[in-house]
Amino acid sequence: MTETAHWWKKSVIYQIYPRSFCDSNGDGVGDIPGIISRLDYLKALGIDVIWLSPIFRSPQDDNGYDVSDYRDIDLLFGTLEDVRELFAQAKRRGIKIMLDMVLNHTSDEHPWFLEARQSRDNPKHDWYIWRDGVPGTPPTDMISTFGGSAWQWVPECGQYYLHQFSVKQPDLNWKNPEVRHALYDMINWWTEQGAGGYRFDAIESIAKIPEAGIVEEGPMLHEYVKELSAATLQGKNLVTVGEAWSANIERAKRWSNPDGSELSMVFQFQHIIQDEIPGGNKWDRRPLYLPELKKVIGAWQRGLRGCGWNSLFWENHDLPRIVSRWGNDKEYRETSAKMLATLLFGLQGTPYIYQGQELGMTNTDYPLSDYRDIELCNMAKERLAAGWPEKTVMELIHAKGRDNARTPMQWSNARNAGFTSGEPWLRVNPNYVQINVENEEKQPDSVLNYYKKLISLRRENDVFFDGDYTAISEEREDIFAYRRENGRSVLTVAANFTGRPVLIPELEYHTRGDLLICNYPTAEVCDQLRPYEARMYLATAQTE
Ligand code: GLC
């Protein structure tokens, strides 16, 4: 593979959650024309690729992750014509569009499933995963990610179908080659329409064996991914990423093998679940222990070097806002948002920015009735029914609920943050009055302008791309610092993860070079980092 085939290694990817990005027609839901109207904003930010969460026809049970027609656009978001226009307008600005492909399941309203559920003899029946049984006794005790049994009884067939996610998201049967080829044809069709890449949703689950309790990483998984890659991706200059909660470094080497046999990179979560109790689920929280986080990030940096590629991220549409999670969204909101950005952008891999992260958008503290997410609402219903105190349930939601990241994008301090002229589908975070694009564009030291600077810095020196990673004082509980070296330059990144000043004599022991960027406006204090201070230095080797 040539280096140009790996163009995405030097890219920055921006994730758009279409229903919350920009509404052009006043129905309260973001849409494609809204995205087109903001392309100049994204161009000015400096990103190269947009990952678009699903825009396909969908009953919207899981906000589009339940697709009923992969080849058409949901009316909420616009038309196929709008998407063609988006591709063209983005291309004009040198931006590629990565579509979110949900291949593990469809909607129960997809014509394939409507047929499949008619009878056992229907030609589409085997396209989904069915098991015999009797009503009231599901074939296995597998639990759906969104609560309750993962099996649903269909009287017409006298069988259960499997749904790893909601009951409206039946799992496709990847064992059936017809299913696989129908999906490949559909992807190729999108590539012909002008898609620049794909994010593969829940791709680790396509080879599940329910009876063996295997959901992720089934034995046939990488065979299927290789087949998918050969049939749809190879030789087309696309950027691809697979969502894989189960990925470890060894598995990630397969997912992101530089020979291009699978995907460009994998979206793995080991770093971001460091504040969750191992073996539990996302609601089982524990305090973050910084040395452990650094160890995990360091291991991935070293582990994939030369034999895979990292996705760098703090946020997406399923995760809380990072400034509320690991920063301080009160008095140090801007400083800590910038600190976290600095740490991420210094690493090796392709950085992802989730919409609003570049503004330092925060979590919400709404009452339950203001939330919409199926996962969050089901969890609250189950736990309240089981007698959990309301206060505890609300604390969990405010910390981890997916709607924290899904509130409308904050464009200005006009009504509804300039997101819609109508009633937004999800309440706008009231802090939009201060935190919004218009304000941040005007303030030279805003979080937004800091992100712009980080993005352009990455383009200026190859050390960001190929520098070797070495941790500095990995055992310290207060700072996160590391070096990247490529024989020509040394990049040093140091950040204070706390709200108090800390001494950092370590910085004295390394050739620091010039200060590239810092999240405080006034000059640095040599061996001390102010609360949440972050700095990047670049030293360049003398040329002989
Ligand atoms: C992925 C998506 C999530 C969705 C789920 C089911 O995890 O990121 O938003 O609910 O898959 O498609």
Side-chain angles (χ1 to χ4, degrees), residues 62 65 102 105 146 165 169 199 201 243 317-318 402 406:
D62 185 18
Y65 284 92
V102 189
H105 45 269
F146 298 153
F165 297 92
Q169 292 167 300
R199 178 249 186 194
D201 183 73
E243 183 199 26
H317 64 293
D318 296 328
R402 300 196 297 183
R406 298 177 179 186

Side-chain angles (χ1 to χ4, degrees), residues 267-279:
F267 216 74
Q268 63 80 22
F269 295 83
Q270 285 192 343
H271 65 295
I272 208 72
I273 57 172
Q274 284 305 312
D275 58 2
E276 293 171 11
I277 296 169

Side-chain angles (χ1 to χ4, degrees), residues 104 245 267 325 339 387 400 412 435 493 535:
N104 177 67
W245 290 81
F267 216 74
R325 189 176 190 174
M339 180 277 283
K400 298 296 288 291
S412 71
I435 308 171
V493 180
R535 299 184 208 155

Side-chain angles (χ1 to χ4, degrees), residues 103-104 172-177 179-180 183-184 206 224 228:
L103 308 183
N104 177 67
L172 282 164
N173 177 18
W174 271 69
K175 274 193 197 152
N176 185 327
V179 172
R180 305 203 299 272
L183 295 172
Y184 304 160
I206 57 175
Y224 293 154
L228 160 83

Side-chain angles (χ1 to χ4, degrees), residues 320-337:
R321 293 293 185 180
I322 195 64
V323 68
S324 302
R325 189 176 190 174
W326 292 346
N328 172 330
D329 65 5
K330 305 282 179 314
E331 73 229 83
Y332 292 114
R333 185 186 64 83
E334 292 183 69
T335 313
S336 64

